[in-house]
Each structure stands twice: as C-alpha cells, then as structure tokens.
Amino acid sequence: MKNIILAADIGGTTCKLGIFDSTLIRLKKWSIKTDIKDETGESLIEDIFNAWQASLKDLGFELEDVLGIGIGVPGPVNFETGVVNGAVNLNWPNKVDIPKLLSKHIDCPVFVDNDANVAALGEKHKGAGKGARDVAMITLGTGLGGGMIANDKLVHGHNGSGAEFGHFRVDHDQRFQCNCGKSGCLETVASATGVVNLVNFYYPKLTFKSSILHLIKENKVTAKSVFDAAKEGDQFCIFITERVANHIAYAISVISVMSNPKFVILGGGMSDAGDILIENIKTEYRHLTFNPAQDGTEIVQAELGNDAGIEGAAGLIKTYLIDTKGA
C-alpha cells in the first residue's frame, strides 16, 4: 500500500531526511553530510536515495510503499518541473533536474520547492500556523527569506519569485546594497547582516553611549549582541532594535493588505531575540496597517526550529498530491 512519504531538507552542510506516513506522522528523522563536490547534483541525490532506501528497509517498508517524495532546496526552483535553477550553497552552478535524477532509482511523484517555502509549509502543518489556510512566514537569518500560503497553497508566482519578502524596498534612502544587486531591500536593514549595517551607520551619528562599543570598534558586533544589550537597557541597541522592528512591521503591513494571513510567523536565528524584537514589531504593525487587514492577524514566533524544513517537505506531498486527489 502506498502510504509512505520520503522527505529531504537539503542544506549546504547537512541534509535532514525523514520518513512520514500519509497523515504526516514522522516515523524517522536523521541527517547525512551534504556532498557538494559534484556540480551536477547526481552524487548527492544518490546519497539521499540510498539513505532513504536503507531506512525504509529498517522500518519494514519497500520502495513500492512510497507515495511521493518532497524536497526543500536552498535555491530558486521551478515548482512545476522540480528543476533547481542553480544553488550556490550546494555548488550547483547550473540547473539540476531533481525529479529526473530520482527517476533512475524510484518511480513516484517528486515535488521540489525552495527551502523557505517548505519551512513555511512545515509551520502551517505542524507549527505556529497550524490549522490556518492563510499564513506568511519571514525567516530572519543572515539573509531574509519568506514564504506565503494562500488558501492552503504556497504562492510561487509565474516564475517562482513569489513571496521574496527580503526584496521589498523599505529603505528608500538606499543606504546599503543587497546581494540581489539592488539597494534598499528589507534584507539590508532587517536581517542579521542588516542589524550590523544599521549599527555601523548610526553609531557615528548619535550621542548614545553603548555597552557594545568595543564590539563595534573591533568589527565584531552581531545581531545577537545587539538584542542581548537591548534587553539589558542599552539605549543605542534599543534604538537599533526599534529601527529593525519598524522595517519588518512595514513589510508585514504590505503582506497583510495583499493576502490577509491569519498568522505571520517569524523564524530564523534572529527570532530567538524574543519579545524585545517581536513586541516592537507588533506595536509598529498596529500603527501602520489598515485596520480590517490586521483584524485577527497574529504575529507569532516559529515553533519548529530546524524541523520546519523536513516537516514542510513532507507537507508538499500532502498538500499537492494527497489533498488534491481527495478534492
């Protein structure tokens, strides 16, 4: 009976692998090292398949029991075809057709999506967005990613660039260049990199004294050091935290009038700052946002941590295969 889902969350260092049943109950989770030596991706996909096959056998299942495969990848993906249009962190300079590579080993549906999208789907199925049909997730890390779910389906857009929240222009002075080649993107003022950008920009211009001055002078300041100092009452770090929160709140206000999500989920390492950041975001969001669009919308911290990707990868099969068949 085909009732098993294979899932993978592929990262630049490790691949998180999982085996789930058709109701998204996780039967096993483990990791393998990511092989980035092969630019074609073939060796890595073979490693992943072999690891799945061995664990299936340990659990008493056969390849014939596999209903489908869901995979999250850190790169741009054509969701219709499952082709990854290059992935810097995986050393894939060219397109990699993951379904085609897997078809050499197994005959079943394969769904591939960007890692931020699958993390959002994971939080929708098992985490902070559980039970909602409309969810947005912002991942606050070294960069700033995102995913949007509307009426239970991920928003991909016509070429896969939907919900790239990191590239809203929020800094209209365009003080910092983004990795995308533009300036003024949300990522430049609201990611961990953005926090450091704001510290280095504002500190010479303000009269605040700060407990992190030595870190600033040594070029060792981090987002965590800023938020930790803000919690201790450091006025300069509180100022920076408020600037970051204002930029994120503005982005959420735009998201709210576009898709009116029930939950806006904040994930990634920066979300661990907790209330010092999240409560500031909520306050500014309420000031900025059209009242009907914010009515009932909750801004919440992600719950699944590093498991969001693997849960979301399995969720691709439930959302786009199982639920579609049942519709």
Side-chain angles (χ1 to χ4, degrees):
M1 181 178 178
K2 290 184 178 295
N3 60 353
I4 295 298
I5 296 170
L6 303 180
D9 178 19
I10 300 178
T13 304
T14 62
C15 298
K16 299 177 184 67
L17 306 180
I19 297 176
F20 296 74
D21 72 11
S22 58
T23 65
L24 297 189
I25 292 175
R26 190 171 68 206
L27 306 178
K28 184 176 181 180
K29 180 191 76 168
W30 74 105
S31 297
I32 63 171
K33 185 177 180 180
T34 302
D35 177 3
I36 61 171
K37 297 188 293 295
D38 178 11
E39 294 184 352
T40 71
E42 187 166 1
S43 293
L44 176 57
I45 297 304
E46 186 172 359
D47 288 347
I48 290 171
F49 172 78
N50 288 338
W52 277 330
Q53 187 174 35
S55 288
L56 281 170
K57 184 176 180 180
D58 290 343
L59 293 171
F61 297 110
E62 304 290 339
L63 291 179
E64 290 74 19
D65 297 317
V66 176
L67 175 66
I69 295 173
I71 298 178
V73 181
V77 180
N78 182 325
F79 184 70
E80 298 298 323
T81 65
V83 174
V84 183
N85 190 22
V88 174
N89 290 346
L90 302 180
N91 192 33
W92 293 353
N94 303 308
K95 293 182 178 181
V96 174
D97 189 334
I98 291 180
K100 184 177 180 180
L101 292 176
L102 279 170
S103 69
K104 299 176 182 179
H105 306 286
I106 187 171
D107 181 18
C108 70
V110 178
F111 291 84
V112 185
D113 211 335
N114 172 265
D115 56 355
N117 283 344
V118 297
L121 197 61
E123 290 287 344
K124 179 230 186 303
H125 280 299
K126 292 286 191 73
K130 189 174 182 180
R133 292 174 59 85
D134 299 278
V135 173
M137 183 172 178
I138 300 175
T139 306
L140 304 166
T142 303
L144 192 149
M148 180 184 290
I149 299 164
N151 293 325
D152 284 329
K153 297 292 192 295
L154 282 160
V155 174
H156 294 103
H158 77 94
N159 68 2
S161 297
E164 288 286 354
F165 303 141
H167 302 291
F168 283 159
R169 176 169 287 175
V170 301
D171 178 20
H172 297 292
D173 293 330
Q174 301 177 53
R175 292 169 293 178
F176 314 109
Q177 187 170 22
C178 183
N179 288 331
C180 74
K182 307 289 186 182
S183 296
C185 294
L186 180 63
E187 184 169 302
T188 69
V189 290
S191 63
T193 303
V195 172
V196 176
N197 285 342
L198 293 177
V199 166
N200 291 331
F201 178 82
Y202 280 114
Y203 196 79
K205 305 176 188 301
L206 300 175
T207 58
F208 292 119
K209 296 188 181 300
S210 177
S211 60
I212 66 165
L213 177 58
H214 64 291
L215 296 176
I216 298 172
K217 288 182 175 179
E218 295 170 10
N219 199 29
K220 293 181 178 178
V221 67
T222 64
K224 184 178 186 302
S225 64
V226 171
F227 296 135
D228 286 348
K231 292 173 187 177
E232 297 298 320
D234 185 296
Q235 290 302 302
F236 174 68
C237 292
I238 290 172
F239 171 83
I240 294 297
T241 301
E242 289 174 346
R243 300 285 77 71
V244 172
N246 289 355
H247 289 306
I248 295 171
Y250 172 77
I252 297 174
S253 73
V254 175
I255 293 167
S256 287
V257 295
M258 288 169 56
S259 69
N260 192 212
K262 170 60 180 171
F263 295 106
V264 179
I265 302 168
L266 303 178
M270 265 178 55
S271 69
D272 292 339
D275 287 349
I276 192 70
L277 178 63
I278 294 173
E279 291 304 315
N280 271 300
I281 292 170
K282 291 179 180 179
T283 298
E284 186 64 14
Y285 171 75
R286 288 191 289 269
H287 292 158
L288 286 171
T289 309
F290 176 55
N291 285 339
Q294 65 171 288
D295 186 24
T297 294
E298 299 178 47
I299 299 172
V300 296
Q301 188 173 356
E303 294 179 357
L304 297 181
N306 290 332
D307 284 348
I310 195 71
E311 296 285 350
L316 289 171
I317 302 304
K318 178 167 174 53
T319 301
Y320 294 98
L321 185 64
I322 298 172
D323 291 350
T324 300
K325 285 181 177 179

